[in-house]
Amino acid sequence: LAIARKFEPLLLLPIAFGMLLANLPGADLGIHYSTMEEFAQLQNASLLDYLYLGVKLGIYPPLIFLGVGAMTDFGPLIANPKSLLLGAAAQFGIFVAFILALLLGFSPEVASSIGIIGGADGPTAIYVTSILAPEYLGPIAVAAYSYMALVPIIQPPIMKLFTTEKERKVKMEQLRPVSQLEKILFPIIVTIVVVMILPTTAPLVGMLMLGNLFKESGVTEKLAHHASEALMYIVSIFIGVSVGATTRADQFLQAQTLFILLLGLIAFCISTASGVIGGKIMCKLSGGKVNPLIGAAGVSAVPMAARVAQNVGQKENPNNYLLMHAMGPNVAGVIGSAIASGIFLQLYRG
């Protein structure tokens, strides 16, 4: 997928090579611990054991969010705050998958980790799983990043299934200009409000908004550049290889792994569908001024999901430019998946 189809190569390639290293006979490079107590007792920790500390201690995912924030423009969301509702609607699949996982006999901790796959947000899935269900980190990370990579394949059929040709052709009005002051205040206000309500979201939401403040403040261009470029690439290597190294064959090749992959797919499909349905409702309430396709961008795959909405809309109407409109729900989805993870951590963290 990474090399031949160019699907999320920056993440899938390191994960795949980590899987290879973990399963080479005699190399002994797999992850040898799931708790910090077990790590403290390791006599001969491998390189990947040390790299995995960044996952286990919850360091890598917030750093990824820092980079995402530094490259994200929240302007479309600020210009159209109603798109926050579409980002929220697209998180529905997370909770459906959570309930299905419970019904299949998974513990609430594991079910929470499986549900987060539906947000199409790899770093959040890794962050929640490393805390609640580290023994399932490999399959959940592989599922989350694979479905992120397959957004252009999975989403269009669902988008077309739930919309009419007339709805897909809806042309939206240009968004209003957003001032720099609004862009500076936004990350500060969001951090205060969200973290005050759900303190468990502080590492993810805080780093996301800090990165965005680097970008929008106008005085930290170099910090924004390095956070979104060098730092993010370095962390992607470490997180990919170390997560891949958790997938030892004797633990990964089990029926439960197939259930996780299937539930993750169901969660992602439902999240896409619920986002589109939210878009249809908004279209109806607005008198036909909102294209429902932008609701599918409410999942957290930034900016891929927004591009998919743009491509599907433009095939129906060549004069349709939905990208900036879709970016509103798209970045709202990043915040939404972080909030969903905070809810699960609030409920089930030991």
Side-chain angles (χ1 to χ4, degrees):
L1 287 174
I3 297 173
R5 301 301 297 275
K6 296 181 173 59
F7 288 161
E8 291 288 337
L10 299 182
L11 294 165
L12 292 187
L13 193 61
I15 288 176
F17 207 83
M19 296 170 79
L20 173 66
L21 291 175
N23 290 283
L24 286 175
D28 199 29
L29 280 175
I31 305 302
H32 299 88
Y33 67 98
S34 60
T35 66
M36 293 309 299
E37 290 76 12
E38 291 176 359
F39 176 78
Q41 296 172 7
L42 278 180
Q43 298 299 316
N44 297 300
S46 70
L47 168 66
L48 297 184
D49 283 321
Y50 286 106
L51 290 181
Y52 183 66
L53 282 172
V55 175
K56 189 63 191 169
L57 296 174
I59 296 171
Y60 295 152
L63 290 179
I64 293 284
F65 264 59
L66 179 71
V68 170
M71 66 172 64
T72 300
D73 181 7
F74 284 103
L77 177 58
I78 299 170
N80 183 19
K82 293 191 294 293
S83 59
L84 189 66
L85 298 175
L86 297 179
Q91 308 309 311
F92 185 66
I94 291 176
F95 298 98
V96 172
F98 168 73
I99 294 170
L100 289 175
L102 288 177
L103 294 176
L104 286 172
F106 288 99
S107 69
E109 292 81 6
V110 179
S112 300
S113 302
I114 294 172
I116 290 294
I117 298 172
D121 189 339
T124 303
I126 289 174
Y127 183 74
V128 172
T129 307
S130 67
I131 295 171
L132 297 182
E135 66 276 18
Y136 290 92
L137 184 60
I140 287 174
V142 169
Y145 280 120
S146 295
Y147 297 139
M148 280 177 65
L150 294 172
V151 163
I153 294 175
I154 297 173
Q155 282 200 318
I158 299 172
M159 296 162 74
K160 292 178 181 178
L161 177 65
F162 285 93
T163 56
T164 64
E165 183 180 349
K166 181 181 178 181
E167 287 173 333
R168 294 194 293 274
K169 288 183 175 180
V170 170
K171 188 175 180 180
M172 297 182 66
E173 297 178 1
Q174 187 173 354
L175 293 170
R176 70 169 179 84
V178 177
S179 69
Q180 186 183 15
L181 178 61
E182 289 177 287
K183 290 185 175 183
I184 291 172
L185 290 176
F186 181 80
I188 298 170
I189 293 171
V190 169
T191 301
I192 293 171
V193 172
V194 174
V195 174
M196 288 289 286
I197 296 172
L198 272 175
T200 48
T201 63
L204 295 179
V205 172
M207 289 296 100
L208 177 71
M209 294 304 159
L210 175 60
N212 188 249
L213 190 58
F214 285 160
K215 176 181 183 294
E216 304 296 356
S217 66
V219 294
T220 50
E221 292 89 348
K222 289 186 178 180
L223 292 180
H225 173 75
H226 289 299
S228 62
E229 295 285 339
L231 177 63
M232 196 163 177
Y233 291 141
I234 291 168
V235 175
S236 294
I237 294 171
F238 290 168
I239 198 172
V241 175
S242 57
V243 165
T246 65
T247 57
R248 283 173 43 194
D250 58 339
Q251 299 170 352
F252 187 78
L253 300 177
Q254 297 180 3
Q256 283 187 325
T257 301
L258 295 178
F259 280 126
I260 289 171
L261 294 173
L262 179 60
L263 287 170
L265 178 60
I266 291 171
F268 180 64
C269 291
I270 292 175
S271 290
T272 299
S274 60
V276 174
I277 292 170
K280 286 174 71 74
I281 294 171
M282 196 169 285
C283 178
K284 186 72 69 175
L285 293 177
S286 66
K289 295 180 180 179
V290 174
N291 191 312
L293 294 177
I294 68 172
V299 297
S300 302
V302 179
M304 192 183 301
R307 288 175 182 160
V308 170
Q310 159 76 9
N311 293 338
V312 174
Q314 205 156 45
K315 285 179 181 177
E316 300 287 345
N317 180 359
N319 296 318
N320 217 357
Y321 297 97
L322 298 175
L323 183 61
M324 294 311 294
H325 296 282
M327 281 301 296
N330 207 183
V331 297
V334 178
I335 301 172
S337 65
I339 291 174
S341 72
I343 292 171
F344 287 136
L345 291 173
Q346 194 91 9
L347 291 173
Y348 302 117
R349 191 174 195 171

